[in-house]
Structures are given as C-alpha cells and as structure tokens.
Amino acid sequence: VQLVESGGGSVQPGGSLTLSCVELGLSYSGACLAWFRQAPGKEREGVASLDSYGRTSYSNSVKGRFTISQDNNRPTLYLQMNSLKPEDTAMYYCATNKVVYCRGAHLGSDEYDFWGQGTQVTVST
C-alpha cells in the first residue's frame, strides 16, 4: 500500500486549502481512512477519519472547518480545510489500516498501519 499526499502550501489566516491523498495498491476496501497532523514539538494528532459506511469524525479543533471525503473512482482521499488558523500549521499525513470493516471514529495513530510521506501546511500573515 502506498499513500501519496499533495496540496499543501502556504496560506493566510482565513484561507482554504484542499489536501489530496492517492491510495495505491489498497487491498482493504473496508479500511479506516484518516488525516493526521504533526506540528514541531507536538504529538501527532488525528483530525478527521472516514469509516466504511462513509461516516466522518473530526477532532474538536477542526470540527466545522475541515471536511474529509473520498472519491472511490480514483481512489483518492481529500481534506478540505476552510477558515484556516495559524495553529493549523503542521505536516499533514493520510493514513489507512488493515481493518476489514471499519466502523465509527478512529483518530488514534496507533490504529493505522500505512502512512503517506506528508505534506506541509503553513498558515501565516
């Protein structure tokens, strides 16, 4: 399984970015999918997850501003980020696992087996 993120960049506060994660060789169609982020000196934080029913979960820090979605035809995972704040500055990673039938919220990094290389998001004036 290979995950390749793109779409990061620099944006002013209040701006928007959309991150993409191409899923190559993914054999687990019911797996959990998620976006994490890690700022310098901080632990990796789960920000959004998607289960096999298409249900989404978000951390309190991004709820109402970020949207996780998937295009099954490509297949690609997205993270639409609106109303960005300086505290959103971090390296963003997509992740998936070997779960056959993912249900519910899964925002713990130890629940995931495969990770992308990350894409940097910087929010500043």
Side-chain angles (χ1 to χ4, degrees):
V1 176
Q2 185 177 5
L3 304 173
V4 182
E5 301 102 333
S6 62
S10 295
V11 64
Q12 293 187 341
S16 298
L17 281 175
T18 300
L19 306 183
S20 300
C21 173
V22 177
E23 309 154 21
L24 303 175
L26 186 61
S27 300
Y28 309 98
S29 59
C32 304
L33 296 163
W35 286 96
F36 287 78
R37 67 185 181 186
Q38 189 167 21
K42 295 189 176 181
E43 292 187 356
R44 189 167 294 189
E45 172 193 16
V47 296
S49 69
L50 184 68
D51 74 5
S52 60
Y53 284 100
R55 295 178 301 198
T56 58
S57 299
Y58 300 93
S59 67
N60 288 334
S61 60
V62 307
K63 196 174 295 183
R65 300 187 297 121
F66 290 12
T67 303
I68 186 173
S69 62
Q70 184 183 29
D71 181 346
N72 289 321
N73 295 322
R74 299 192 63 179
T76 304
L77 184 70
Y78 299 99
L79 185 68
Q80 173 68 43
M81 305 185 294
N82 298 325
S83 302
L84 283 162
K85 305 175 181 180
E87 52 263 42
D88 294 319
T89 295
M91 186 72 78
Y92 283 72
Y93 301 88
C94 62
T96 189
N97 56 20
K98 301 177 184 178
V99 170
V100 174
Y101 202 38
C102 179
R103 291 184 292 182
H106 296 276
L107 294 175
S109 59
D110 58 352
E111 300 180 87
Y112 291 86
D113 304 295
F114 306 105
W115 296 84
Q117 82 289 348
T119 186
Q120 178 67 38
V121 172
T122 302
V123 184
S124 66
T125 56

